Amino acid sequence: VQLVESGGGSVQAGGTLRLSCSASTTAYSMNCMGWVRHPPGPEREGIAQIVSDGTTEYRDSVKGRFTISKDSATNTLYLQMNSLKPEDTGMYYCAAGRPLHIGCAYKYWGQGTQVTVS
């Protein structure tokens, strides 16, 4: 099972990045996929998730700025990030698992891609 992120980098506040996650068939077939951010500090925070019927959910702090989507033709998960803020800085992980009443229980994780906003 494989999840490989790309697209991170360093941008100025107000800038844009698009993260991609190339998923193996097993990972992509999971009913819930999402992006989890690990900012400086001890805790990870869920940013966005998408379930198999296309329903999406977002962390309040990124609503209206970030968009999660997926392409079934290429087994790729995306995160379009606009109007980036310094507080969006962190390691971004792609993850796959099963949906819960709130959020997802992630079973598979990528290695992460760093996003730095200054």
Side-chain angles (χ1 to χ4, degrees), residues 48-60:
Q49 67 184 59
I50 184 167
V51 296
S52 55
D53 67 359
T55 302
T56 58
E57 292 185 10
Y58 297 92
R59 189 176 190 84
D60 285 347

Side-chain angles (χ1 to χ4, degrees), residues 27-33 50-53 70 96-99 104:
Y28 195 83
S29 67
M30 301 299 288
N31 287 332
C32 190
M33 296 189 73
I50 184 167
V51 296
S52 55
D53 67 359
K70 58 181 184 177
R98 61 179 178 86
C104 297

Side-chain angles (χ1 to χ4, degrees), residues 3-4 7 12 14-15 28 48 55 59 72 74 83 89 97 102 114-115 118:
L3 294 165
V4 180
Q12 292 187 336
Y28 195 83
T55 302
R59 189 176 190 84
S72 297
T74 60
S83 302
T89 294
I102 298 176
Q114 178 68 35
V115 172
S118 59

Side-chain angles (χ1 to χ4, degrees), residues 2-117:
Q2 192 173 26
L3 294 165
V4 180
E5 303 95 335
S6 62
S10 296
V11 296
Q12 292 187 336
T16 296
L17 285 173
R18 188 191 195 201
L19 306 184
S20 300
C21 173
S22 179
S24 64
T25 300
T26 299
Y28 195 83
S29 67
M30 301 299 288
N31 287 332
C32 190
M33 296 189 73
W35 292 93
V36 177
R37 176 170 70 200
H38 193 172
E43 295 187 3
R44 293 181 177 181
E45 50 190 26
I47 297 301
Q49 67 184 59
I50 184 167
V51 296
S52 55
D53 67 359
T55 302
T56 58
E57 292 185 10
Y58 297 92
R59 189 176 190 84
D60 285 347
S61 62
V62 307
K63 286 180 180 177
R65 299 188 297 122
F66 290 10
T67 303
I68 189 171
S69 62
K70 58 181 184 177
D71 183 347
S72 297
T74 60
N75 286 4
T76 304
L77 182 73
Y78 297 102
L79 185 68
Q80 178 68 43
M81 304 188 295
N82 299 330
S83 302
L84 282 161
K85 303 176 180 180
E87 52 263 43
D88 294 320
T89 294
M91 185 70 78
Y92 283 68
Y93 296 90
C94 172
R98 61 179 178 86
L100 301 172
H101 179 66
I102 298 176
C104 297
Y106 292 121
K107 182 175 182 179
Y108 303 114
W109 294 81
Q111 294 300 305
T113 186
Q114 178 68 35
V115 172
T116 302
V117 185

